[in-house]
Amino acid sequence: MLPALRRALSEMSIRMKTSRDVSDLAIFGNSPAFAEKLYVGRPNVGDTTKVLERIKEALDNRWLTNHGPLVQELERRIAKLLGVKHCIAMCNGTVALEILIRALELSGEVIIPSFTFVATAHALQWQEITPVFCDINPETHSIDPRRIEELITPRTSGIIGVHLWGRGCDVEQLSEIARNNSLKLIFDAAHAFACSHGGKMIGGFGEAEVFSFHATKCFNTFEGGAVVTNNDELAAKIRLMNNFGFAGYDNVIYIGTNGKMSEISAAMGLTGLDGLNDFISVNRRNYERYRSEFEGLPGVRLFPHDQAEEGNYHYVIAEIDEELVGVTRDLMMEILWAENVIARRYFYPGCHRMEPYRSLFPTAGGLLPKTEELTKRVLVLPTGTAVNEIQIAAICEIIRLVLCNAKEVTARLNSRHLSTPLTAAEPITSYARTGQ
Ligand SMILES: *Cc1c(COP(=O)(O)O)cnc(C)c1O
């Protein structure tokens, strides 16, 4: 270990030992720090009375779906917020991606990062388009433009950039590569609602961008999503495809599917938009608290949000470097789970190690060294309107205690019975609260 690092850790460990001892940790059989579980992605809920009022309005109108007045209002407000011409609201982000991919007639192969939620890959493979996984830049966690050109083949038709954690990916470089190689460029902006890139709101880049309004996202409509674009023709085509290809009462002019958002989702969305600034300021407060708690704690990197951009601060990402701190990310997660802090390791183990991609491309990992390293380091910590600053201080105290006493913690754990498997699967019922 570096001497400076060792010194810093031992100074902190002296400070910490006065308040808590390693033997206090719940993983050694003590009661957890939190009586109730703290989750990543617990939904932000705005003014409940207002949500119910809007739902009642829809019920009274007897207009529950099929591009009703609430969905229309939501689409107008989102388009205005993002400064785009068209917003087509949909039932979820995955279907929005699938429809956009189909509307653009992507085919053959499409280049995407492997470090993303698996839906980015599935939306392609579902329609028999091959996702080609590209490595990431470990600084930004986003697709590395320098690694794209070597992946382009005669079958390549497009690139999907993912604005991971709400931070815009390298839009300029990707646009240039797409232009030079006649590829279509779209963005999975599921994390990046109300975020900007280069001072411009995310939503207007590429051919189109896709948002998810899933319950775990910063802004939610229970389930929901949208395609936004400035392209009139593309928007018209997507609207048709979103509603079975109906161009009039009895007139189907295109193959389509059913991707419509319901009025009840739009009621939630409109109320969420009213509360969006409040959600974001809580997220920002929480993020700043984590940042100040982690300050000077070597070996842990908090993923930086660019203060010059609009951000939703919805994800607090800690990178735990085992080589520096002597504790694996997985061990840290296990310790936190014992304390009822349900931290998550998004997007472990990477899409390329999930089926069907693992079987289809068994050697993909060899081309993805940065992705493979990052998936071992990332730990997503609880934030959002369900988490307060006192809880954050307590979470950070546990992390600090472990890092400052890494050797002791590891030694004690090595001597205990290895009975329970590392990070037992959560019951499926908690999925909606724990997110993706
Ligand atoms: C959430 C998410 C999706 C899928 O959105 P759903 O609304 O859950 O279908 C796609 N891509 C990324 C990066 C996501 O985080």
Side-chain angles (χ1 to χ4, degrees), residues 90-97 115-121 162-165 188-191 210-217 222-226 315 346-347 431 436:
M90 297 191 187
C91 58
N92 63 55
T94 305
V95 164
L97 270 172
F115 194 67
T116 178
F117 181 58
V118 72
T120 320
V162 182
H163 304 301
L164 216 69
W165 317 135
D188 178 339
H191 290 189
V210 172
F211 291 98
S212 164
F213 307 143
H214 183 256
T216 55
K217 302 298 191 318
F222 298 106
E223 290 269 4
Y315 296 94
Y346 297 169
F347 294 99
Y431 170 80
Q436 298 166 344

Side-chain angles (χ1 to χ4, degrees), residues 262-277:
S262 76
E263 289 290 277
I264 198 166
S265 284
M268 183 69 171
L270 286 166
T271 314
L273 280 185
D274 296 338
L276 188 61
N277 287 336

Side-chain angles (χ1 to χ4, degrees), residues 214-251:
H214 183 256
T216 55
K217 302 298 191 318
C218 181
F219 163 78
N220 86 86
T221 62
F222 298 106
E223 290 269 4
V227 176
V228 302
T229 180
N230 287 313
N231 180 329
D232 300 341
E233 222 174 291
L234 181 63
K237 189 171 175 185
I238 289 170
R239 269 205 194 287
L240 281 172
M241 294 177 90
N242 196 36
N243 186 28
F244 313 100
F246 273 106
Y249 270 116
D250 309 305
N251 189 21

Side-chain angles (χ1 to χ4, degrees), residues 189-211:
H191 290 189
F193 191 70
C195 299
S196 71
H197 173 76
K200 196 170 160 247
M201 291 308 277
I202 286 174
F205 297 112
E207 305 274 345
E209 304 206 49
V210 172
F211 291 98

